[in-house]
Each structure stands twice: as structure tokens, then as C-alpha cells.
């Protein structure tokens, strides 16, 4: 196993917010044993202490990392967000301190796809309505309006990670799949692309939305689009609340043009369990409302734990920033018999030359070199032949170069 300029047992890792035990295990398996775990989100004082001590910090979505908090971090060299989004972290401030931020954007893809499949079956059978009545003691035993999904057409809007997974699952239960995406996407199985949203809406028995929140998708499904849908069709939104005009959907459900809907995301979502959800969809028959839990499963949490822990280990062990949300991405091969210097610097002229001078003055041979920059920060990785004893001295020289943010070496 490659050695690091700070040895693995001295790398202090702090994981807050009850990060899944699989993450701890993955880190331990990789030789990182100096791990502190916290149950909840740390308060400001605790966070300050953690940031002063930690080399690696793992958080979930409740710990906010402001520029000010990040500025106080002395040793921190990477951050793991054990969640999907990273809006609660000032990722640019982290980048300027040479700290990559990693997350797990697709660890819950399958969870969302499975929920949607379940909802399609439930809505086609009008189960939400029948279940609500049965809870009141009403025995509505009828086949009217209840359908098998076999042979029905599912229209998927956005054929990305979730949309394409859903496509495979839906075909497995006998549905015909059509999809619309703004990018040419490889069709899985027997799914077929259509050329426009209108074409998709006109042909689908169930429309399921899996697009991101962009200026183009905001309000993408309004009254005009709902009017283009087949009479008696079903709409599912587990993407983002901004995509659907919820008043228009409520109106179409009320007058029966749309036979059912499942909505997991809302234009305004409660910030916590103390707040109430208010939506015009409440009380309408054959409507499934869920509190943004499409991706919320224990399996997804475990996947997130392993995925983010692996990214942190890969960066720490190897220097690869692949998958970082705020950093130039460098996917590095594992090199044997070299000492690898990682140099993060402000993107100012002359740094490259001065880094190479450090090596050439010592008559060292550069076996491979990688450089990626954005407008603010550059990341230069130099593999030098041999496992060098003088790594620390070289590192000191590299850190003296003007513009250097931080450096490490692996040997
Ligand atoms: P993705 O980025 O893999 O796929 C999105 C797809 O939408 C891409 O293929 C893209 O080309 C396409 N697209 C973008 N703009 C479009 C447009 N105007 N018209 C048609 N297609 C368009 O994203 P992923 O992971 O599949 O997620 C999809 C959505 O699901 C996102 O909004 C995400 O926030 C949401 N999501 C919801 C969760 C929940 O708990 N309900 C959990 C995870 C994701």
C-alpha cells in the first residue's frame, strides 16, 4: 500500500450526522482508523473544533459549511457530503482553500425508479382511492377504471440516470416505453425515443418526469401540456416541484381529465417535520402525495456511505478528484515505483515552470504529469521516478512557490 505524507493512522476523519456505518467500514478497510463519529449535526462551537482538527470531514445535509467555517479549517484537505445535493456547503470557498468536495449524486437512483414503478401500478388500479375508502369502512369492490399496466405506454421525460432505470423496470412488467430527452440518449431494451414533448404526451398512458430543475424545465408541464395528455392518463412527478404547474394539475384531476397522479416534490416544501404541507392536490381522489422521499431508502443511505467513502479514500490515497463537485477533475492511474506530488495553486502564470524547476534542480525524472485548471485554481500532479526519501524537503520547496494553496505527496 502506498504511503502518504501524513500517515493514514494520523489522518483524522470526523463523520457527523450518523453517517451510515458502511462508510466507517469502507474507511477502516482502506486503513483509515482515526475516525470520530457524531450522532447529530454539530453546533457552531463543535463545528469549529472539528474543523480545526479534521483532515477529512464527512457531513450530511444538516451541517452547513460557510466560507467562514471553511476558512477556520487548518488541516482539512477534503470534504465528503454523504448526501445528494451540496448547496449547504460553500464549495467555491472550499475550492479556493484547495479542498475538493465529494458527494453521491446517483446513489439513490434505483430507489426513485422503484417508487415510481410501484406508483404506476397503484394508480392504474386506483388503489389510493380504494384504500382511503376502505380505511373508512367503505367496500368499493369494482373493476371499473382499474387496469393492468401490461401493454400500457409509459412516457418518460428526461432519460438520465433515473429515467433510464425506470425504463428497464417498466419494460420488465410489460409496459411499452417511450421517452423524450433534449440530448440523444441510448435507448435501453425496447424503449423508443420521440422527437418532442408533445408527441410523448399524446401517446403515453403514464407520464413520468425525470428532468432537473432548469430554466427550460420550470413550468414544463402546465395547463397546455396537460391538455395534450391522453384523457384518463396519469402524471408522476418525482423530479422537482418547479416542473409542474400544480394548480393546472389539480384542475385536471378534479374534472377527471387526468385519472391520477403521484407527486413527491412540491413548489414549496416544508423545511422540517414541524411545518405543514399545503397543496391544492390534498383531498383529491387517486392522488399519491409523498414528502420528497423518492430517493430515501436505507439502501440508498448505505450506497451513499460507500460511494462517498470510496471517493474520499481515492483522493487521499491517489490524488484523483474524479467526481468532485467543486474541483477540476483529474482521474489518475495508480502508479508503482513513483513518488506523486500533488500541488494545488492559484491559477497565476509561472507556477508550472517553478514546480518543474524544483524537480529539475534535483535532477529528478518526471515519469508523468497532469495539470488541470479552472479560472481560479490549478491542480498539478507530478509522478517522479523512484520512492524518494527527500519527499518532505521537496514538498517544502513546492509550498514556498508563490500561489501555492497546498501540497501533499504519496510514495
Ligand atoms: P440526470 O441528470 O441523470 O438526468 C436528467 C435527464 O434530463 C438528462 O438526460 C437530461 O438530458 C434530461 N433533460 C434536461 N433538460 C431536459 C428538458 N428540458 N427536456 C427533456 N429532458 C431534459 O438526473 P437524474 O439523476 O436522473 O435525476 C432526475 C431528477 O430527479 C432531478 O430533478 C433530480 O433532482 C430528481 N431526483 C429526485 C429525487 C427524489 O427524492 N424525489 C431523488 C433523486 C433525484
Amino acid at each position: 500500500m502506498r504511503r502518504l505524507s501524513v500517515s493514514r493512522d494520523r489522518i483524522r476523519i470526523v463523520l457527523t450526522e450518523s453517517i451510515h456505518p458502511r462508510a466507517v467500514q469502507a474507511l477502516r478497510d482502506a486503513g483509515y482508523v482515526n475516525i470520530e463519529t457524531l450522532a447529530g449535526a454539530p453546533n457552531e462551537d463543535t463545528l469549529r473544533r472539528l474543523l480545526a482538527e479534521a483532515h477529512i470531514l464527512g457531513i450530511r445535509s444538516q451541517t452547513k459549511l460557510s466560507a467562514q467555517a471553511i476558512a477556520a479549517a487548518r488541516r482539512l484537505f477534503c470534504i465528503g457530503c454523504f448526501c445528494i445535493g451540496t448547496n449547504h456547503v460553500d464549495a467555491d470557498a472550499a475550492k479556493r482553500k484547495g479542498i475538493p468536495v465529494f458527494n453521491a449524486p446517483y446513489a439513490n437512483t434505483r430507489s426513485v425508479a422503484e417508487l415510481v414503478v410501484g406508483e404506476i401500478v397503484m394508480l392504474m388500479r386506483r388503489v389510493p382511492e380504494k384504500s382511503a375508502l376502505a380505511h373508512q369502512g367503505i367496500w368499493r369492490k369494482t373493476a371499473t377504471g382499474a387496469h393492468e399496466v401490461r401493454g400500457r405506454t409509459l412516457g418518460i421525460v428526461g432519460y438520465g440516470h433515473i429515467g433510464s432505470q425506470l425504463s428497464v423496470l417498466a419494460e420488465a412488467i410489460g409496459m411499452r416505453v417511450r421517452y423524450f430527452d433534449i440530448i440523444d440518449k441510448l435507448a435501453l431494451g425496447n424503449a423508443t425515443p420521440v422527437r418532442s414533448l408533445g408527441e410523448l404526451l399524446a401517446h403515453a398512458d403514464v407520464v413520468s418526469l425525470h428532468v432537473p430543475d432548469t430554466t427550460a424545465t420550470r413550468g414544463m408541464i402546465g395547463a397546455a401540456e396537460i391538455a395534450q395528455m391522453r384523457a384518463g392518463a396519469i402524471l408522476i412527478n418525482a423530479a422537482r416541484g418547479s416542473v409542474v404547474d400544480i394548480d393546472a394539475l389539480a384542475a385536471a384531476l378534479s374534472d377527471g381529465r387526468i385519472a391520477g397522479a403521484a407527486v413527491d416534490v412540491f413548489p414549496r416544501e416544508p423545511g422540517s417535520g414541524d411545518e405543514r404541507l399545503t397543496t391544492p392536490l390534498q383531498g383529491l381522489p387517486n392522488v399519491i402525495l409523498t414528502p420528497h422521499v423518492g430517493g430515501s431508502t436505507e439502501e440508498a443511505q448505505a450506497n451513499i456511505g460507500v460511494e462517498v467513502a470510496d471517493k474520499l479514500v481515492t483522493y487521499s490515497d491517489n490524488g484523483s478528484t474524479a467526481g468532485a463537485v467543486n474541483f477540476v477533475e483529474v482521474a489518475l492511474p495508480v502508479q508503482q515505483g513513483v513518488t506523486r506530488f500533488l500541488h494545488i495553486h492559484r491559477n497565476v502564470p509561472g507556477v508550472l515552470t517553478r514546480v518543474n524547476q524544483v524537480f529539475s534542480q534535483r535532477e529528478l525524472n518526471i515519469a508523468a504529469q497532469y495539470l488541470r485548471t479552472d479560472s481560479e485554481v490549478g491542480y498539478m500532479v507530478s509522478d517522479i521516478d523512484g520512492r524518494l526519501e527527500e519527499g518532505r524537503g521537496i514538498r517544502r520547496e513546492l509550498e514556498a512557490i508563490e500561489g501555492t494553496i497546498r501540497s501533499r505527496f504519496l510514495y
Side-chain angles (χ1 to χ4, degrees), residues 95-115:
K95 179 183 75 174
R96 287 192 289 273
K97 279 209 81 177
I99 302 170
V101 175
F102 298 96
N103 66 337
Y106 304 116
N108 62 4
T109 295
R110 173 69 182 218
S111 301
V112 181
E114 283 191 13
L115 179 68

Side-chain angles (χ1 to χ4, degrees), residues 84 105-106 108-109 112 157-163 180-183 185 210-214 216-217 220 238-240 264-265 292-296:
I84 308 294
Y106 304 116
N108 62 4
T109 295
V112 181
V157 186
Y159 204 66
H161 287 81
I162 298 171
F180 170 66
D181 202 295
I182 43 166
I183 294 174
K185 293 280 177 145
H210 301 287
V211 289
D213 175 29
T214 66
T217 61
M220 185 184 207
R240 281 291 175 261
D264 187 45
V265 288
H292 203 146
V293 289
S296 306

Side-chain angles (χ1 to χ4, degrees), residues 140-209:
R140 183 65 54 82
K141 182 170 163 51
T142 170
T144 308
H147 301 280
E148 291 186 352
V149 300
R150 183 167 46 164
R152 296 279 169 165
T153 299
L154 169 64
I156 298 175
V157 186
Y159 204 66
H161 287 81
I162 298 171
S164 56
Q165 280 279 322
L166 172 62
S167 170
V168 173
L169 297 180
E171 282 199 341
I173 54 170
M175 297 192 82
R176 276 200 290 261
V177 176
R178 291 182 167 204
Y179 66 87
F180 170 66
D181 202 295
I182 43 166
I183 294 174
D184 268 346
K185 293 280 177 145
L186 178 69
L188 300 181
N190 298 314
T192 49
V194 298
R195 281 188 306 272
S196 69
L197 178 63
E199 189 181 343
L200 189 88
L201 297 174
H203 288 100
D205 299 299
V206 181
V207 174
S208 193
L209 307 172

Side-chain angles (χ1 to χ4, degrees), residues 67-300:
Q68 203 184 5
I70 291 167
R74 285 185 292 125
R75 301 181 178 137
L76 197 67
F77 70 86
C78 56
I79 295 171
C81 292
F82 288 77
C83 48
I84 308 294
T86 55
N87 289 344
H88 52 305
V89 173
D90 193 329
D92 284 336
K95 179 183 75 174
R96 287 192 289 273
K97 279 209 81 177
I99 302 170
V101 175
F102 298 96
N103 66 337
Y106 304 116
N108 62 4
T109 295
R110 173 69 182 218
S111 301
V112 181
E114 283 191 13
L115 179 68
V116 172
V117 169
E119 289 174 337
I120 293 171
V121 175
M122 292 297 131
L123 292 169
M124 292 284 275
R125 299 293 290 272
R126 301 195 70 86
V127 168
E129 188 179 304
K130 289 180 177 130
S131 170
L133 291 171
H135 275 280
Q136 297 162 42
I138 301 167
W139 193 248
R140 183 65 54 82
K141 182 170 163 51
T142 170
T144 308
H147 301 280
E148 291 186 352
V149 300
R150 183 167 46 164
R152 296 279 169 165
T153 299
L154 169 64
I156 298 175
V157 186
Y159 204 66
H161 287 81
I162 298 171
S164 56
Q165 280 279 322
L166 172 62
S167 170
V168 173
L169 297 180
E171 282 199 341
I173 54 170
M175 297 192 82
R176 276 200 290 261
V177 176
R178 291 182 167 204
Y179 66 87
F180 170 66
D181 202 295
I182 43 166
I183 294 174
D184 268 346
K185 293 280 177 145
L186 178 69
L188 300 181
N190 298 314
T192 49
V194 298
R195 281 188 306 272
S196 69
L197 178 63
E199 189 181 343
L200 189 88
L201 297 174
H203 288 100
D205 299 299
V206 181
V207 174
S208 193
L209 307 172
H210 301 287
V211 289
D213 175 29
T214 66
T215 45
T217 61
R218 250 161 255 156
M220 185 184 207
I221 304 293
E225 289 72 25
I226 291 171
Q228 286 175 274
M229 289 173 66
R230 281 185 168 179
I234 281 164
L235 182 69
I236 297 180
N237 184 13
R240 281 291 175 261
S242 56
V243 179
V244 176
D245 177 342
I246 215 140
D247 291 315
L249 175 61
L253 283 159
S254 300
D255 67 24
R257 268 197 39 77
I258 296 292
V263 178
D264 187 45
V265 288
F266 300 86
R268 259 197 316 279
E269 295 182 5
S272 74
D274 299 332
E275 283 175 48
R276 285 185 61 79
L277 170 72
T278 310
T279 164
L281 301 175
Q282 279 157 335
L284 293 174
N286 213 29
V287 174
I288 298 173
L289 302 179
T290 45
H292 203 146
V293 289
S296 306
T297 61
E298 294 188 11
E299 287 75 11

